[in-house]
Amino acid sequence: MDQLKIITVADPMMGLLWETWPIHRKLETHFGEQIFFGTLMGQLVKDVYGLVDQEILSRYGKTVALNQYWVKLMQIYLQEERLTGMPIQMGTNERLFDENHTSSLPLDRGLRAIAKSNAELEDQVLYELQYDTVVENKQTNDINYLTKLAANFKIDKNKFSANYKSVNLNQEMNIMSQLKISQLPAYIVTYGDKSYVIKGLPKYSEWVDMITKISQGNLKSRKVTFNKEMVLDFIKIHPHISSLELKEAFDLSDEQEVIRILEDTDLKTKKIKKTIFYSLK
């Protein structure tokens, strides 16, 4: 049986991508090894000065223009939180963009430099980049941050630096151009010898319908069992995850069911708004 490949085209800084994790986790548990997940770097902000108000930039300068843009960006992030409820909090720490950090490309390069061709590690690195961007508000496009993140994944400074310098995103840009992908996030879905570009933010039921149609019914979702052992096994694969993601992954009606079953574990926890983030010690 052919495996379905879902390649998400996005940028690690995107709030819209952050909001897709609950559905992503549900696809994982319900389809298992039938689906391979990967990412293609969307390179969202190549130069932030192309996005600021040009009149404000010309009249008042870079600092004022960036300040105005940052307020607008925070509002966009918080609006995106409403899509699935993955918590976003902005304005509590560092700004992503300033006069010395004008692009999101370092996040794209950093992800590739740390994860290389390891799909499982790529998932974890992407999650940390997203969490630190939209929850912790760290300046994740700064090389010092990325070097520390690499160290957290057991990659020393020199190796990371060499990897980072060798990253070439041109091939990913060419794929986006060839497939005419201009809206992010998008998905490249491949089954057998056929590929499809999916745009927008499909709901889980829409994903199931598409998977059934694309695979001609060969790929089927499976029943998921919810108990502490199953949840803890899943967390071993995803060592930083939220109660909201686990709720969706295990077909629960309330995050509190997850919180109750994990309350006597030795997992590290951090509450962000109504959601608990779990991580292995």
Side-chain angles (χ1 to χ4, degrees):
M1 180 183 295
D2 288 324
Q3 188 181 44
L4 185 88
K5 294 182 180 179
I6 299 177
I7 306 300
T8 302
V9 187
D11 188 292
M13 70 164 280
M14 292 182 66
L16 284 178
L17 177 61
W18 179 245
E19 294 302 317
T20 65
W21 285 111
I23 292 174
H24 185 118
R25 300 305 185 210
K26 190 164 187 172
L27 288 169
E28 282 186 71
T29 53
H30 287 66
F31 285 89
E33 67 287 344
Q34 298 176 95
I35 298 179
F36 169 86
F37 296 93
T39 55
L40 187 72
M41 295 295 94
Q43 305 164 58
L44 186 64
V45 180
K46 295 179 181 178
D47 182 0
V48 71
Y49 290 120
L51 300 176
V52 302
D53 187 305
Q54 297 303 302
E55 183 177 351
I56 296 295
L57 179 63
S58 62
R59 291 184 63 183
Y60 301 107
K62 293 180 177 180
T63 300
V64 174
L66 285 174
N67 285 343
Q68 184 192 59
Y69 176 72
W70 185 242
V71 172
K72 179 181 178 181
L73 186 59
M74 286 194 294
Q75 292 172 340
I76 291 172
Y77 272 126
L78 293 174
Q79 289 170 357
E80 290 169 343
E81 181 186 39
R82 300 171 188 170
L83 294 174
T84 66
M86 278 291 281
I88 293 176
Q89 55 181 15
M90 303 301 293
T92 62
N93 195 0
E94 302 168 307
R95 294 187 179 188
L96 189 61
F97 299 111
D98 59 29
E99 292 183 31
N100 297 313
H101 301 82
T102 61
S103 173
S104 67
L105 293 184
L107 285 86
D108 301 314
R109 295 172 64 87
L111 174 60
R112 288 287 175 255
I114 298 172
K116 299 293 280 184
S117 58
N118 185 327
E120 183 176 312
L121 185 59
E122 181 179 284
D123 181 284
Q124 294 177 19
V125 177
L126 178 58
Y127 195 90
E128 295 310 310
L129 282 170
Q130 290 232 275
Y131 180 86
D132 285 344
T133 300
V134 304
V135 176
E136 297 291 344
N137 296 175
K138 294 180 180 179
Q139 196 165 44
T140 50
N141 54 354
D142 182 82
I143 191 63
N144 293 317
Y145 161 82
L146 292 168
T147 302
K148 291 178 182 176
L149 181 64
N152 291 342
F153 285 95
K154 312 302 181 186
I155 300 175
D156 67 41
K157 181 178 180 179
N158 293 333
K159 183 176 181 181
F160 170 72
S161 179
N163 289 349
Y164 188 85
K165 290 175 182 177
S166 69
V167 170
N168 187 339
L169 298 172
N170 289 337
Q171 184 178 2
E172 296 180 70
M173 291 178 64
N174 290 338
I175 293 172
M176 288 181 61
S177 177
Q178 291 168 6
L179 295 177
K180 295 180 172 57
I181 296 174
S182 57
Q183 177 184 341
L184 302 178
Y187 305 89
I188 303 169
V189 181
T190 302
Y191 185 76
D193 60 354
K194 295 183 179 180
S195 292
Y196 309 82
V197 175
I198 308 298
K199 298 179 180 179
L201 294 169
K203 298 177 182 178
Y204 176 74
S205 59
E206 293 171 328
W207 270 117
V208 173
D209 289 343
M210 284 188 286
I211 291 169
T212 300
K213 184 176 180 180
I214 290 170
S215 72
Q216 296 183 324
N218 289 326
L219 304 185
K220 303 181 186 299
S221 63
R222 61 193 182 192
K223 185 177 180 180
V224 174
T225 301
F226 173 67
N227 56 49
K228 184 182 292 186
E229 182 179 1
M230 295 295 291
V231 173
L232 291 176
D233 283 345
F234 195 61
I235 292 176
K236 289 176 184 177
I237 302 171
H238 302 295
H240 193 187
I241 196 167
S242 70
S243 53
L244 178 56
E245 293 165 81
L246 292 169
K247 164 189 170 289
E248 291 298 320
F250 290 94
D251 285 333
L252 304 177
S253 59
D254 194 327
E255 282 181 72
Q256 292 302 316
E257 294 182 63
V258 174
I259 294 170
R260 281 194 294 271
I261 202 170
L262 294 178
E263 62 185 359
D264 62 346
T265 65
D266 61 357
L267 296 169
K268 291 173 61 178
T269 62
K270 183 168 184 176
K271 188 174 184 180
I272 306 295
K273 298 183 179 179
K274 296 180 180 180
T275 295
I276 303 292
F277 284 85
Y278 298 96
S279 56
L280 297 175
K281 292 186 177 180

